[in-house]
Amino acid sequence: MLGDLNKMRSQAAQIQKQLERELFTVDHGRISIEITGNQKVTNVTVDGQQVPELKEAMNQAIQKSQQAAAAKLSSMSKELGIGE
């Protein structure tokens, strides 16, 4: 079982690296957002002007939601007896 867990971690790390290299752009009216596959906002523009404060706020919000999800998954893993 430990071998399977290590294999899964290795695969997850590989997927994470692949996602870091992917870039997605969404244009919605006057707003354009670029985000990587691992959910890091790289650029936000409104009317063609970069808005770094909005980019940082979005990254902080994403980070908080990821932390909450990680905490819930960790709790569930412990309940199932598969946590570290």
Side-chain angles (χ1 to χ4, degrees):
M1 185 167 175
L2 187 56
D4 290 341
L5 186 57
N6 286 334
K7 182 178 177 182
M8 286 173 47
R9 284 184 179 158
S10 175
Q11 289 173 338
Q14 288 175 348
I15 291 169
Q16 180 99 19
K17 286 180 183 179
Q18 290 171 350
L19 288 172
E20 288 173 5
R21 292 188 296 265
E22 292 189 40
L23 184 65
F24 302 91
T25 303
V26 174
D27 295 313
H28 191 78
R30 306 171 329 163
I31 301 169
S32 178
I33 299 173
E34 293 178 351
I35 188 168
T36 63
N38 65 345
Q39 300 178 335
K40 180 170 173 60
V41 177
T42 58
N43 194 30
V44 176
T45 60
V46 177
D47 292 331
Q49 300 294 313
Q50 290 187 350
V51 187
E53 302 88 11
L54 183 54
K55 178 185 86 165
E56 292 305 318
M58 292 174 74
N59 279 322
Q60 288 177 10
I62 291 168
Q63 184 179 20
K64 284 185 178 186
S65 74
Q66 289 172 338
Q67 289 170 344
K72 288 182 187 286
L73 287 172
S74 177
S75 175
M76 188 168 50
S77 295
K78 287 178 184 176
E79 288 175 15
L80 296 172
I82 55 174
E84 293 183 273

